[in-house]
């Protein structure tokens, strides 16, 4: 009776010590071994029991060879993270002993640790359907992640080859993009933490994260984001008007509190854009933290990270057409120091003028140069001029070589990089002409005249026919005003030569005119993700709205010999300011023809009337 009523001692082992059980199993006696597995799998197992078992396992790691994979699998499933501090410390010691004595178990150990990089799953039943997702309310989540990183560091200390085994596991465990925002946020954050203590993996981890961000980015075109935001705004307005009709009380409005309203207004209406926004915010924070030590820019850290990011940019971003947001990681790191921005421009320039690169890569590099020069506030005029000199000189040399002979005709397939460079120059001039002329008008005009735009515009390759019409029209208006070149005769001739293309479809024949033969886009068009936008906006050059007066002034040529004092209002106007809102992002000319009113920050599709 006494034996039956007394609880079993927690130290009781079936068949003696753990070593005895393992040796018996090797001889074919499996009873004690099965009992051991059953006890370790018990969901009600106590902390003291776990500690005692782990203590014995640590002493017996030499016996835990490959044939005990199943037993190790059960040990790795133990809920050690949510246990007492003593259990956690004992478990970390066990992991270290296990991987140092039996490296055959390294992969399962790494898989177990990485699986803890996301919040635990909870199961909710709705109408007999399981809805499983991450548990956002776990208060110990941050502490659990810290412990996971300690475990990973412990394993890496004992097994120097850990990084090469870890990377494939990080790739295969990356959550699907339709998982909850919290799951994606935690996983990406933990991946970036790994780069701090395993620096050899940084480049590969950045590649992995940016590849996933790109998939999100290209799945959410700007038009879809704008449509979702517009629909959300309309539904919010409808709700507000209904509420005001029912309860016309100011007290109720005040009681709603600002916090909820602001947090809702920060959310993106498009679910994939919301995920991308959160992840871009994390990436920007990581870049800032790596590059700054005690609030000051660390040049060596910044240069090292810049090299890794440029490598990722070349491999993933440059070959991807029309991504909207991810490329801004280069924009952001370049804002830290002018030397980085100049290095990035030099890097793009080498891509552009190297004939060994594929034409599409050269064209994209041209788009990046133009968009970067136009949009980056931190690039001074002196750098803009140096880049314009480089690009325009290359254009003139290209014309020297190509403007006579068999290939001296307008053809995107033959001269794609040339047209892309022309568009980059035109686009830069549209955004920067006021700064180039600021201070000393005569000197500025002399510089612009030295670029000899007339020769570029008048050449047989006819760049005005290929570049996006909105860019061409603004360039034509500005160059006419300063009497640099008169483009309208060529534009009119080109318009007469456009050949409509008939495309047949299920809805009947559709007549289209190809207005973007380069299929070009401007990579640094206005950034639309609400949270991460706050990081970019201080460095970003928005397009200033052209008033009716400005448009009128664009039609008036400046008189030769005008002194600075006689400068007209348009010239006295400041350079584009951050608060300017108008226009659209010209990824393609099609988007111009249906430009939403809500789009901000890019030149509008502005047609200045041709002079008679």
């Amino acid at each position: 009776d006494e034996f039956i009523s007394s609880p079993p001692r927690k130290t009781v082992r079936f068949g003696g010590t753990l070593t005895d059980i393992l040796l018996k199993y090797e001889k074919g006696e499996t009873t004690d071994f099965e009992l051991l597995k059953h006890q370790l799998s018990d969901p009600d197992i106590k902390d003291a029991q776990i500690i005692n078992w782990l203590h014995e396992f640590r002493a017996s790691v030499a016996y835990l060879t490959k044939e005990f994979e199943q037993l190790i699998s059960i040990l790795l499933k133990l809920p050690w993270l949510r246990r007492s501090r003593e259990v956690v410390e004992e478990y970390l010691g066990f992991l270290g002993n296990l991987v140092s004595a039996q490296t055959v178990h390294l992969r399962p150990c790494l898989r177990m640790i990485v699986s803890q990089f996301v919040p635990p799953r909870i199961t909710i039943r709705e109408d007999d359907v399981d809805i499983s997702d991450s548990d956002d309310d776990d208060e110990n989540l941050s502490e659990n992640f810290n412990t996971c990183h300690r475990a990973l560091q412990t394993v890496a200390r004992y097994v120097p080859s850990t990084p090469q085994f870890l990377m494939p596991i990080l790739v295969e465990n990356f959550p699907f993009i339709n998982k909850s925002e919290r799951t994606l946020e935690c996983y990406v954050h933990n991946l970036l933490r790994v780069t701090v203590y395993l620096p050899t993996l940084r480049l590969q981890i950045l590649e992995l994260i940016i590849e996933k961000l790109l998939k999100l980015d290209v799945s959410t075109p700007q038009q879809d984001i704008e449509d979702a935001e517009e629909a959300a705004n309309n539904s919010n307005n409808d709700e507000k008007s209904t509420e005001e009709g029912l309860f016309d009380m100011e007290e109720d409005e005040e009681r709603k509190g600002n916090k909820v309203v602001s947090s809702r207004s920060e959310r993106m209406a498009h679910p994939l854009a919301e995920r991308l926004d959160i992840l871009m915010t994390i990436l920007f924070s990581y870049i800032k933290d790596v590059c700054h030590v005690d609030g000051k820019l660390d040049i060596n850290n910044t240069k090292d990270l810049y090299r890794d990011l440029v490598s990722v940019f070349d491999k993933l971003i440059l070959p991807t057409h029309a991504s909207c947001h991810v490329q801004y990681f280069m924009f952001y790191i370049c804002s830290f120091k002018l030397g980085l921005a100049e290095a990035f421009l030099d890097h793009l320039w080498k891509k552009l003028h190297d004939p060994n690169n594929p034409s599409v890569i050269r064209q994209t590099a041209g788009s990046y140069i133009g968009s970067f020069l136009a949009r980056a506030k931190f690039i001074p005029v002196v750098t803009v001029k140096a880049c314009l000199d480089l690009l325009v000189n290359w254009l003139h040399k290209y014309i020297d070589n190509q403007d006579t002979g068999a290939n001296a005709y307008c053809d995107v397939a033959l001269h794609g990089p040339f047209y892309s460079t022309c568009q980059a120059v035109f686009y830069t001039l549209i955004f920067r002409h006021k700064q180039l002329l600021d201070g000393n008008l005569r000197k500025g005009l002399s510089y612009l005249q030295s670029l000899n735009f007339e020769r570029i515009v008048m050449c047989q390759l006819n760049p005005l026919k290929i570049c996006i019409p909105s860019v061409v029209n603004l360039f034509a208006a500005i160059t006419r005003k300063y009497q640099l070149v008169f483009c309208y005769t060529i534009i009119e001739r080109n318009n007469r030569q456009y050949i409509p293309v008939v495309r047949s479809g299920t809805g009947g024949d559709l007549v289209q005119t190809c207005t973007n033969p380069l299929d070009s886009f401007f990579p640094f068009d206005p950034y639309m993700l609400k949270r991460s936008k706050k990081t970019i906006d201080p460095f970003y050059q928005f397009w200033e709205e052209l008033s009716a007066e400005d448009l009128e002034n664009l039609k008036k040529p400046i008189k030769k010999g005008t002194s600075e004092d006689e400068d007209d209002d348009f010239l006295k106007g400041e350079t584009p300011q951050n608060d300017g809102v108008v226009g659209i992002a010209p990824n393609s000319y099609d988007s111009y023809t249906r430009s939403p009113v809500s789009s901000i920050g890019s030149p509008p599709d502005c047609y200045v009337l041709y002079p008679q």
Side-chain angles (χ1 to χ4, degrees):
D1 289 346
E2 187 182 340
F3 173 76
I4 291 168
S5 62
S6 64
R9 289 173 58 210
K10 290 190 178 76
T11 53
V12 167
R13 295 288 176 262
F14 302 104
T17 64
L18 177 66
T19 307
D20 293 338
I21 295 171
L22 298 179
L23 290 172
K24 278 183 187 176
Y25 178 77
E26 286 179 347
K27 291 173 184 173
E29 297 178 29
T30 60
T31 310
D32 289 345
F33 185 76
E34 292 301 323
L35 287 168
L36 168 64
K37 287 199 304 183
H38 180 74
Q39 189 174 1
L40 288 171
S41 305
D42 183 3
D44 299 321
I45 190 168
K46 303 289 188 291
D47 283 8
Q49 289 173 297
I50 294 177
I51 290 169
N52 286 332
W53 277 124
L54 289 175
H55 198 68
E56 283 205 42
F57 273 106
R58 288 180 71 176
S60 310
V61 286
Y63 297 96
L64 297 172
T65 52
K66 191 170 179 6
E67 62 183 303
F68 291 107
E69 272 181 323
Q70 196 181 9
L71 181 61
I72 296 302
S73 172
I74 292 169
L75 281 167
L76 294 177
K77 285 175 184 169
L78 277 173
W80 63 283
L81 266 177
R82 288 156 195 85
R83 297 281 177 158
S84 65
R85 190 174 185 81
E86 292 77 16
V87 172
V88 169
E89 295 304 324
E90 192 68 33
Y91 199 88
L92 291 175
F94 161 70
L95 281 179
N97 290 156
L98 179 67
V99 294
S100 57
Q102 304 285 352
T103 50
V104 70
H105 301 304
L106 176 63
R107 275 197 186 92
C109 288
L110 293 176
R111 279 198 190 94
M112 180 275 296
I113 296 168
V114 172
S115 71
Q116 305 287 348
F117 277 4
V118 293
R121 286 168 66 85
I122 55 168
T123 304
I124 306 165
R125 293 187 71 80
E126 274 188 18
D127 302 326
D128 294 328
V129 177
D130 280 352
I131 304 168
S132 300
D133 212 333
S134 61
D135 179 7
D136 291 347
D137 299 325
D138 192 340
E139 294 173 5
N140 301 317
L141 206 54
S142 180
E143 195 179 324
N144 291 345
F145 290 154
N146 290 341
T147 309
C148 285
H149 290 290
R150 272 187 66 200
L152 203 49
Q153 285 171 274
T154 302
V155 171
R157 193 162 58 245
Y158 285 112
V159 185
S161 60
T162 294
Q164 71 190 67
F165 291 98
L166 176 63
M167 197 59 221
I169 293 166
L170 295 178
V171 172
E172 69 190 39
N173 275 271
F174 204 104
F176 293 116
I177 58 173
N178 56 355
K179 286 287 181 187
S180 74
E181 294 104 340
R182 185 70 173 143
T183 299
L184 286 162
E185 178 184 6
C186 290
Y187 195 78
V188 169
H189 190 272
N190 283 315
L191 284 190
L192 291 171
R193 277 186 71 175
V194 171
T195 67
V196 176
Y197 55 84
L198 295 178
T200 55
L201 284 183
R202 184 166 76 181
L203 178 57
Q204 292 174 72
I205 286 175
L206 286 171
E207 266 184 29
L208 170 62
I209 291 170
I210 288 166
E211 182 189 3
K212 300 295 183 183
L213 291 180
L214 262 180
K215 284 181 181 173
L216 273 172
D217 202 4
V218 297
S219 303
T220 50
Q222 273 188 314
Q223 192 61 48
D224 289 3
I225 295 174
E226 286 177 352
D227 291 346
E229 289 298 318
E230 194 176 339
N233 288 337
N234 290 340
S235 70
N236 285 345
N237 290 338
D238 291 344
E239 281 175 26
K240 276 183 188 173
S241 59
T242 310
E243 279 179 20
E244 283 165 13
L246 290 171
F247 311 102
D248 196 12
M249 299 182 189
E250 290 180 12
E251 305 88 67
D252 285 357
E253 291 298 314
E254 286 170 16
R255 215 178 295 140
K256 284 181 182 175
N258 295 327
K259 193 174 179 185
V260 180
V261 175
S262 65
S263 64
R264 184 195 282 185
S265 67
E266 275 196 350
R267 281 187 70 85
M268 299 297 296
H270 195 296
L272 293 183
E274 172 67 9
R275 288 165 175 74
L276 183 61
D277 193 8
I278 291 168
L279 299 184
M280 287 300 292
T281 305
I282 293 171
L283 183 60
F284 288 153
S285 299
Y286 172 78
I287 291 170
K288 184 179 180 182
D289 289 350
V290 169
C291 295
H292 293 81
V293 177
D294 299 326
K296 291 183 180 176
L297 189 71
D298 184 295
I299 297 300
N300 292 327
N301 287 357
T302 306
K303 281 181 180 175
D304 289 343
L305 181 60
Y306 170 82
R307 286 189 198 100
D308 283 348
L309 290 176
V310 163
S311 175
V312 178
F313 175 84
D314 284 352
K315 184 174 179 181
L316 297 175
I317 304 290
L318 211 50
T320 303
H321 180 69
S323 58
C324 300
H325 301 98
V326 181
Q327 59 266 25
Y328 270 90
F329 67 78
M330 285 307 306
F331 190 97
Y332 183 51
I333 194 170
C334 287
S335 72
F336 294 162
K337 195 165 180 62
L338 178 59
L340 296 174
E342 290 176 341
F344 184 50
L345 285 164
D346 183 57
H347 179 77
L348 292 168
W349 162 244
K350 285 172 182 167
K351 293 272 181 199
L352 172 63
H353 80 88
D354 182 358
N356 294 317
N357 285 327
S359 181
V360 66
I361 294 295
R362 296 175 69 190
Q363 286 172 223
T364 308
S367 296
Y368 269 93
I369 291 173
S371 199
F372 193 57
L373 286 173
R375 295 297 195 171
K377 260 189 181 179
F378 46 83
I379 296 179
V381 178
V382 64
T383 305
V384 174
K385 286 171 83 169
C387 290
L388 283 176
D389 287 340
L390 206 61
L391 295 170
V392 170
N393 284 340
W394 183 80
L395 290 174
H396 284 301
K397 282 179 187 170
Y398 193 93
I399 293 168
D400 290 341
N401 295 328
Q402 300 287 341
D403 209 33
T404 53
N407 293 334
Y409 58 91
C410 183
D411 189 335
V412 176
L414 282 175
H415 309 295
F418 171 81
Y419 296 123
S420 182
T421 307
C422 286
Q423 186 158 279
V425 169
F426 299 164
Y427 192 70
T428 303
L429 187 76
I430 289 166
F431 271 84
R432 297 283 195 161
H433 70 277
K434 290 183 183 179
Q435 289 166 298
L436 290 166
L437 295 166
D438 198 29
N440 188 328
L441 179 63
R442 190 175 283 108
K443 195 175 175 184
L445 281 174
S446 174
Y447 168 72
L448 290 178
Q449 283 161 0
S450 74
L451 297 176
N452 195 359
F453 286 127
E454 187 169 10
R455 182 169 184 253
I456 296 169
V457 165
M458 301 288 183
C459 74
Q460 295 295 314
L461 305 182
N462 195 358
L464 296 185
K465 186 175 184 179
I466 301 298
C467 295
I468 290 176
S470 57
V471 173
V472 168
N473 278 282
L474 278 168
F475 173 76
I478 290 163
T479 51
R480 177 180 177 273
K481 176 171 182 60
Y482 300 112
Q483 297 193 357
L484 299 171
V485 58
F486 191 81
C487 302
Y488 292 110
T489 310
I490 298 167
I491 293 171
E492 284 182 334
R493 187 181 69 214
N494 289 339
N495 287 342
R496 285 196 294 272
Q497 290 174 353
Y498 273 131
I499 301 171
V501 178
V502 179
R503 291 185 179 173
S504 295
T506 51
D509 292 343
L510 178 68
V511 180
Q512 287 185 330
T513 305
C514 182
T515 46
N516 185 7
L518 265 180
D519 197 21
S520 55
F521 72 110
F522 299 104
F524 297 117
D525 263 349
Y527 194 92
M528 299 178 70
L529 306 175
K530 294 177 187 175
R531 290 183 196 82
S532 44
K533 188 179 194 288
K534 294 173 187 172
T535 305
I536 297 301
D537 278 0
F539 313 110
Y540 190 76
Q541 188 75 69
F542 285 88
W543 173 252
E544 188 181 42
E545 183 171 5
L546 288 176
S547 65
E549 186 183 356
D550 286 341
L551 289 170
E552 192 62 36
N553 282 332
L554 277 179
K555 297 174 198 171
K556 297 176 189 171
I558 189 167
K559 293 171 188 172
K560 289 195 175 176
T562 304
S563 70
E564 291 174 57
D565 297 333
E566 294 168 344
D567 194 3
D568 64 35
D569 290 337
F570 180 70
L571 283 175
K572 282 179 184 165
E574 294 175 357
T575 53
Q577 295 300 314
N578 253 0
D579 53 1
V581 288
V582 78
I584 69 150
N587 326 9
S588 67
Y589 189 65
D590 283 347
S591 65
Y592 271 84
T593 55
R594 51 185 174 79
S595 70
V597 180
S598 61
S599 304
I600 62 163
S602 281
D605 186 15
C606 152
Y607 287 92
V608 179
L609 294 172
Y610 301 150
Q612 298 302 317

